[in-house]
Amino acid sequence: MAGCVQDLLMHICPFGEWCNLQPKDAAKMPESAWKLLFYTLSWSYGTYLLFFTEYPFFHDPPSVFYGWEKGMDVPTDIGIAYLLQGSFYGHSIYATVYMDAWRRDSIVMLIHHVVTLTLIVFSYAFRFHNVGILVLFLHDISDVQLEFTKLNVYFKHRGGIYHRLNDVIADLGCLTFSISWFWFRLYWFPLKVLYATCHSSLQSVPNIPFYFFFNALLFALTLMNLYWFLYIVLFVAKVLTGQMQEVNDVREYDVEESKKTTGPRKAGELQLPKSWKEGNHLKNGLIKDKRL
């Protein structure tokens, strides 16, 4: 299902070209549009479950293990969330390798998707679905802000004209994204999720199965969040010190192009990536010559 929606966004019409985006921005736009749509829906549904139902998991994290039993029934509303998230991350593993633009942190992104899908599948199988909903909620909000900011970055130069409104929105989005990443993933995630899984779980279920397996995966997720937060800090530092004058998509398409150029460049000449010159350019988020 996730793949069908993304393919629809990529092929239904060349929206980026219709908006007169720059070629490199038109290539990246469908990927971000699809992710913004999914993360907005998934985070909204997670918000509904945690704040508009009787589930107390956010305000009382230890409650995720209250009444836990092997083979217990999974509520239908939580099961729907797991189905959506599982299908998305299953497709994301394929998309990262074969569909999405290859960037310098794509290996870490691929590991992240594998770890997340493993957590989703096994937490459902062993009935740790309550804590799973909390984990997904704390992560999705940052992705909503990230993709929204990236879309405004792509749209600030279109039709050969600079659009200041999109630039201002991108700057504000970058700021709120940085704050939400730290607050949700590096503060609330350890405070609520890791505390519940490492400490409260043993109090509620002394012989809880796969204790070290699940906590190892959650700690791996935390380390990747720290890894990406270093990117955010370095990016903000460049903006504050004047090394970068505006917010851009700093995750390169081609790792090789970030390390070397294809020869001397004349003053004022636009240096095109080698892959574009060879005809292996991106179109609607797809690249023909994809190398790991």
Side-chain angles (χ1 to χ4, degrees):
M1 180 178 64
C4 292
V5 177
Q6 185 173 9
D7 290 340
L8 179 63
L9 285 173
M10 289 182 174
H11 295 102
I12 192 170
C13 68
F15 183 70
E17 297 178 6
W18 182 75
C19 293
N20 293 319
L21 299 184
Q22 300 181 78
K24 61 184 179 65
D25 294 332
K28 293 183 282 186
M29 188 272 296
E31 179 187 339
S32 290
W34 150 241
K35 290 180 179 179
L36 175 63
L37 174 63
F38 173 80
Y39 285 124
T40 300
L41 293 176
S42 62
W43 187 75
S44 299
Y45 188 59
T47 301
Y48 162 75
L49 291 177
L50 293 175
F51 296 97
F52 296 94
T53 64
E54 297 179 354
Y55 299 125
F57 309 142
F58 183 83
H59 299 292
D60 184 19
S63 66
V64 297
F65 293 106
Y66 292 170
W68 181 89
E69 295 179 355
K70 292 183 180 180
M72 61 187 296
D73 292 334
V74 178
T76 301
D77 49 6
I78 292 181
I80 292 174
Y82 261 74
L83 177 62
L84 294 175
Q85 295 280 357
S87 62
F88 173 78
Y89 281 103
H91 173 262
S92 294
I93 295 174
Y94 170 84
T96 299
V97 178
Y98 295 107
M99 297 179 65
D100 295 346
W102 194 253
R103 300 178 172 97
R104 62 181 175 182
D105 66 342
S106 290
I107 291 294
V108 180
M109 183 68 72
L110 184 61
I111 296 173
H112 170 271
H113 293 336
V114 171
V115 170
T116 303
L117 183 60
T118 302
L119 281 169
I120 290 173
V121 171
F122 283 95
S123 65
Y124 184 89
F126 296 106
R127 300 304 190 256
F128 298 142
H129 47 274
N130 292 342
V131 69
I133 292 299
L134 190 56
V135 171
L136 294 169
F137 168 79
L138 293 175
H139 281 74
D140 283 347
I141 181 59
S142 299
D143 291 311
V144 172
Q145 294 173 308
L146 173 63
E147 301 304 334
F148 178 75
T149 300
K150 287 166 65 175
L151 284 175
N152 278 279
V153 169
Y154 305 152
F155 274 83
K156 68 182 179 181
H157 294 291
R158 61 183 188 273
I161 302 174
Y162 165 75
H163 294 264
R164 181 169 178 78
L165 177 59
N166 292 107
D167 197 8
V168 172
I169 295 176
D171 290 341
L172 293 176
C174 181
L175 176 62
T176 58
F177 163 72
S178 304
I179 296 173
S180 72
W181 187 284
F182 174 81
W183 194 259
F184 281 80
R185 297 194 180 200
L186 299 181
Y187 176 68
W188 269 346
F189 182 75
L191 183 66
K192 295 180 178 294
V193 174
L194 295 183
Y195 173 79
T197 59
C198 294
H199 176 69
S200 303
S201 60
L202 294 177
Q203 293 184 329
S204 300
V205 189
N207 296 318
I208 190 168
F210 298 97
Y211 173 84
F212 291 102
F213 172 73
F214 283 105
N215 279 297
L217 291 178
L218 290 172
F219 272 103
L221 201 58
T222 304
L223 290 176
M224 284 184 280
N225 287 335
L226 285 170
Y227 170 82
W228 277 308
F229 188 67
L230 292 178
Y231 270 98
I232 298 171
V233 172
L234 291 174
F235 176 78
V236 173
K238 287 182 178 180
V239 174
L240 294 178
T241 57
Q243 299 180 46
M244 183 176 294
Q245 299 300 322
E246 59 180 358
V247 174
N248 289 301
D249 185 12
V250 296
R251 299 173 62 211
E252 290 88 354
Y253 270 141
D254 192 337
V255 178
E256 295 179 358
E257 297 304 326
S258 68
K259 296 181 180 179
K260 64 181 180 181
T261 59
T262 57
R265 179 173 56 182
K266 298 179 181 179
E269 179 183 354
L270 178 63
Q271 186 71 29
L272 295 176
K274 181 180 179 181
S275 59
W276 291 9
K277 292 181 178 181
E278 294 175 350
N280 297 323
H281 60 282
L282 288 163
K283 185 174 183 181
N284 285 343
L286 301 177
I287 187 167
K288 295 180 181 179
D289 187 15
K290 188 97 160 220
R291 298 183 180 92
L292 291 176

